[in-house]
Amino acid sequence: MWIIGGATPTTATLSSEVWSSPDGINWTLRVNWPGSDYFVGVAYGSDRFVAVGNSGGAYVSADGMIWNPTSAPTDHQLRGVVASATSTRFVAVGDSAVAYADLAPPV
């Protein structure tokens, strides 16, 4: 599974879209949130994807296809996210912020 967040697969235009692909060639738009929050980082760990946005938003998905907003521990701009290799923790970094959270997968 390939995931792109924050841009379309064919352009470098910033967006609030999340796309997925089984092969990296054929892409399907999964979600496009209204507003100005665009995605800047996606990570996978503990059987879920987490995407973070420039407005401090965080979104979680168990399968990369259905995404749900979740509470992020900051309202600062986020620039990237990584998953811990040994726990359920995700760490996001951004402008004047380092945030971490144990984000549960959607039910």
Side-chain angles (χ1 to χ4, degrees), residues 6 27 31-32 41 45 48 65 69 81 84 87 97:
W27 294 90
V31 68
N32 185 8
R48 63 189 170 271
M65 293 182 263
V81 62
S84 167
S87 74

Side-chain angles (χ1 to χ4, degrees), residues 42-50 81-92 99-103:
V42 178
Y44 180 81
S46 300
D47 298 322
R48 63 189 170 271
F49 295 93
V50 172
V81 62
V82 294
S84 167
T86 59
S87 74
T88 61
R89 186 157 287 174
F90 289 82
V91 177
Y100 64 89
D102 294 318
L103 299 173

